[in-house]
Amino acid sequence: MVETVKVPPDPSRMIEGLRDTGYEFPTAIADIIDNSIAAKATLVEVNVSMDYKGNIEVTICDNGCGMDWETLVAGMQYGSPQRPDPSSLGKFGLGMKTASTAFCRVLSVVTRSSGRAPLVKASWDLNHVVQVHDWELLKGTPTSAERELLERVSQGGPGTLVVWQQVDRLLKSYYAPGGTFAQRALEKQIGELKEHLAMVYQRFLDPTDNRAGSIEIRVNAERIAPWDPFCEDLSELVADEEMEVEIDGKGRVPFRVRAFVLPRKEEFVDPERATRARVGNQMQGVYVYREQRLIHGPDWLGMFSKEPHGSLLRVEFSFDHRLDEAFHIDIKKSKILLNEDLYNWLDTTFLPAPRRAADERYRKGQKRQIEDLAKSAHDASNRSILAAEPKLDLPNVSVVDSRKGDVLVENKQGQVHMKLDVTGALRPGEVFVQPVDGLPEGILWRPAIIGTHRGVQINTAQPYYHKVYVPNLRYGVTVQGIDSLLWALGMAELSTVNEATKRHFAEMRYEVSKLLRELVEALPEPNLEAPAEQEAAGESK
């Protein structure tokens, strides 16, 4: 017979340690709302307030089925009994307790199972547990304010109220705890909570969405509107796959993956709708839904990083509770770990085509933006070279046949016939540095005759222009510096070229351009909005 020894956890250390499970405020509130949805609530009211002393109180009240005293005690147990419905959003029996005490030291629940039943109240007071060194749950009497709030939300029927008091981990310490800075910080937290709930419970908040039950959520009296990350009525559905996974004891269990390419910002007819769509780097990625509730994302599940050319791509991954074990759902229901086969399928089979489609749409719009920016970005360079040109010792270049690009160059080496592009100015004064959409063999620059001037053409389609020029197009000094270098290289070629070396100069331009293409490959994709945002920030200082 094996000898056994019971080793119960230390109450003080355990209840304090469980405060550090990594919850963020919006995730914690969502974990409690999961319980409301599991209780078939149709209304949830969240209130977050601060008094003049900086004391914060958080309440979450619903009109769900509620509990009697025995059920409440079982629900307040750490690792409470498993729910009879396996599809319930409440999963591990830990969420409400750990989510709440991650931010407060006193958690109270006031509830009733019917309109005729008495209100019952139970509280976990961390200070009390530490003091008595035991798992003692406090039985209390609801305050008049608690009674009034539960009555208003439940409308005389069943319901549950969760109360956080002694909230000590929501905000950092402030010199004036209830002052302006603390109030602003709290408002920021509330704003982030509203955005989170709108995204996580989108399918529940939208009464026209029949995939989930309907619920109304209010935060500080504001009704939360659903936020559809996929903008399904406007976006292009570029991939849609229904797959199955073999689960022991459950047979073949389905899940669905869909990929949407959103319109570019300028393609939205309504600017307000474009703003609400939140097109950009942060919102791209895979959105993972369990039982119609968003539990993870948006991110690329470690497959690749977020870059601007993927900013229009959003992917839906939906499954039900039968795949919980296969996908390793964490205690906060906020992360998912895919098995190797599914990870590889997403990475190598499903996502490549949607990524190409999103990249193509992004680059199409970006190309237009770059062309608009490039039109005036080189004006200062042209003006500065124009001012300096009379003082420079430059070769004579005369056009022999403009149609064929035949020119005669006279320099210190003598005379040499060359093939140069002979063109006119595309913009007034653009006669020294001319941006063009593409040059032969992908070269970055080449000398040219622009109007009657010795100039250089710069390839806006070349990766170096994309990665180095584009992020700086609004910054004249940087652009002038690079333009001056390329123009000087072009003039140095004309000043030293001869019949024996002209082929070598052409090869040099090709090799340098090739090397630059490879060197900039690791540079980040440019964010065309960042300079404007930075300028705005600078002006506001």
Side-chain angles (χ1 to χ4, degrees):
M1 182 176 179
V2 177
E3 184 177 355
T4 62
V5 179
K6 290 186 177 181
V7 186
D10 182 279
S12 302
R13 288 180 61 82
M14 176 66 76
I15 205 164
E16 290 284 1
L18 286 172
R19 303 193 77 193
D20 299 319
T21 46
Y23 274 98
E24 295 181 353
F25 179 57
T27 308
I29 297 296
D31 227 340
I32 296 172
I33 293 176
D34 285 346
N35 292 334
S36 299
I37 293 175
K40 310 300 181 185
T42 59
L43 173 64
V44 177
E45 278 200 9
V46 180
N47 289 284
V48 184
S49 60
M50 176 192 290
D51 65 19
Y52 72 96
K53 293 182 179 179
N55 298 313
I56 298 171
E57 183 176 85
V58 178
T59 62
I60 305 98
C61 191
D62 69 53
N63 64 351
C65 61
M67 296 170 279
D68 57 22
W69 175 250
E70 289 74 19
T71 308
L72 173 58
V73 171
M76 293 293 275
Q77 178 185 353
Y78 278 77
S80 54
Q82 186 174 1
R83 296 179 185 271
D85 181 3
S87 66
S88 168
L89 295 187
K91 177 173 169 55
F92 293 101
L94 287 170
M96 180 186 69
K97 282 80 68 174
T98 55
S100 299
T101 58
F103 295 93
C104 72
R105 297 196 64 81
V106 178
L107 162 65
S108 300
V109 177
V110 179
T111 185
R112 66 184 175 198
S113 57
S114 71
R116 299 176 186 175
L119 287 175
V120 291
K121 178 178 180 179
S123 302
W124 279 116
D125 184 332
L126 272 60
N127 294 331
H128 178 79
V129 172
V130 171
Q131 181 180 0
V132 301
H133 205 66
D134 204 352
W135 293 96
E136 284 190 358
L137 185 68
L138 304 179
K139 184 176 183 179
T141 301
T143 66
S144 58
E146 291 168 346
R147 289 177 178 275
E148 182 181 337
L149 177 55
L150 186 58
E151 184 67 34
R152 179 167 58 80
V153 174
S154 67
Q155 293 290 298
T160 299
L161 168 64
V162 176
V163 183
W164 295 1
Q165 293 172 308
Q166 294 186 31
V167 177
D168 61 341
R169 289 191 172 186
L170 181 54
L171 301 181
K172 67 178 184 180
S173 298
Y174 285 89
Y175 177 76
T180 301
F181 292 108
Q183 290 285 354
R184 287 177 182 172
L186 185 61
E187 288 170 6
K188 184 175 184 291
Q189 292 278 6
I190 295 170
E192 291 174 354
L193 171 64
K194 291 175 181 177
E195 287 187 357
H196 184 76
L197 298 181
M199 180 169 64
V200 167
Y201 298 108
Q202 173 234 334
R203 298 176 180 182
F204 294 85
L205 295 169
D206 185 352
T208 67
D209 193 328
N210 57 16
R211 292 173 293 185
S214 184
I215 191 170
E216 178 181 341
I217 300 176
R218 300 173 187 162
V219 176
N220 286 6
E222 178 184 333
R223 182 170 182 169
I224 303 302
W227 183 74
D228 173 16
F230 310 113
C231 301
E232 290 194 40
D233 57 331
L234 297 173
S235 299
E236 179 184 359
L237 178 63
V238 294
D240 186 351
E241 295 282 352
E242 291 194 32
M243 306 288 289
E244 292 183 338
V245 175
E246 186 72 35
I247 302 296
D248 292 342
K250 299 177 182 177
R252 297 191 66 80
V253 181
F255 64 90
R256 188 178 187 184
V257 187
R258 297 191 296 168
F260 296 86
V261 176
L262 274 64
R264 300 189 304 273
K265 288 182 180 180
E266 66 270 19
E267 292 177 327
F268 283 87
V269 177
D270 181 0
E272 185 176 336
R273 181 72 187 275
T275 300
R276 183 165 174 75
R278 296 162 70 186
V279 175
N281 263 9
Q282 292 305 311
M283 306 313 292
Q284 65 174 280
V286 180
Y287 293 70
V288 182
Y289 293 83
R290 174 192 180 269
E291 295 291 348
Q292 309 305 329
R293 182 239 205 243
L294 182 70
I295 65 165
H296 181 93
D299 62 31
W300 291 116
L301 301 173
M303 286 178 272
F304 32 82
S305 59
K306 294 182 178 182
E307 292 185 331
H309 57 76
S311 61
L312 301 178
L313 180 59
R314 297 178 184 176
V315 177
E316 171 200 356
F317 186 105
S318 293
F319 65 95
D320 65 30
H321 65 280
R322 291 173 291 176
L323 291 180
D324 283 355
E325 293 180 9
F327 294 159
H328 307 292
I329 309 304
D330 75 342
I331 189 175
K332 302 189 295 294
K333 300 188 294 294
S334 62
K335 286 189 177 180
I336 180 174
L337 295 175
L338 301 181
N339 64 43
E340 185 177 356
D341 290 341
L342 182 55
Y343 181 96
N344 291 335
W345 175 79
L346 276 172
D347 187 17
T348 62
T349 303
F350 181 82
L351 283 174
R355 290 186 73 195
R356 284 193 298 271
D359 181 71
E360 182 180 346
R361 177 170 291 186
Y362 171 81
R363 291 193 186 280
K364 183 178 178 181
Q366 189 185 52
K367 181 179 177 182
R368 187 177 305 159
Q369 288 178 280
I370 291 173
E371 288 174 350
D372 290 341
L373 288 171
K375 284 179 181 177
S376 58
H378 304 275
D379 288 354
S381 300
N382 279 288
R383 289 193 297 268
S384 65
I385 295 172
L386 175 64
E389 186 187 31
K391 297 176 288 185
L392 301 176
D393 182 16
L394 298 176
N396 293 321
V397 181
S398 55
V399 176
V400 178
D401 188 332
S402 61
R403 187 172 56 86
K404 295 181 179 180
D406 287 338
V407 302
L408 178 64
V409 179
E410 296 181 67
N411 58 29
K412 297 174 183 178
Q413 305 295 322
Q415 293 185 340
V416 58
H417 284 272
M418 293 183 66
K419 293 283 187 181
L420 297 181
D421 190 49
V422 180
T423 184
L426 301 179
R427 288 169 48 84
E430 192 178 75
V431 292
F432 298 102
V433 178
Q434 185 179 67
V436 294
D437 183 18
L439 289 177
E441 299 180 310
I443 60 175
L444 176 60
W445 85 97
R446 70 179 180 187
I449 302 302
I450 308 172
T452 59
H453 296 269
R454 292 146 294 195
V456 65
Q457 292 177 323
I458 299 176
N459 184 2
T460 61
Q462 220 268 358
Y464 183 87
Y465 194 94
H466 184 72
K467 294 287 189 74
V468 177
Y469 263 101
V470 169
N472 294 288
L473 285 177
R474 291 187 177 93
Y475 301 115
V477 173
T478 304
V479 172
Q480 282 187 60
I482 307 173
D483 283 349
S484 298
L485 174 62
L486 295 181
W487 184 82
L489 286 172
M491 296 309 102
E493 178 178 342
L494 295 180
S495 296
T496 57
V497 68
N498 57 40
E499 286 292 342
T501 60
K502 64 181 181 182
R503 180 172 60 86
H504 298 308
F505 277 111
E507 290 175 353
M508 184 199 69
R509 280 186 267 115
Y510 171 78
E511 290 298 332
V512 171
S513 298
K514 179 182 175 182
L515 288 170
L516 288 174
R517 184 185 302 112
E518 295 172 357
L519 287 170
V520 301
E521 187 175 345
L523 294 180
E525 288 288 325
N527 183 351
L528 295 181
E529 296 178 12
E533 293 170 359
Q534 292 167 2
E535 286 175 0
E539 290 174 1
S540 65
K541 291 181 180 179

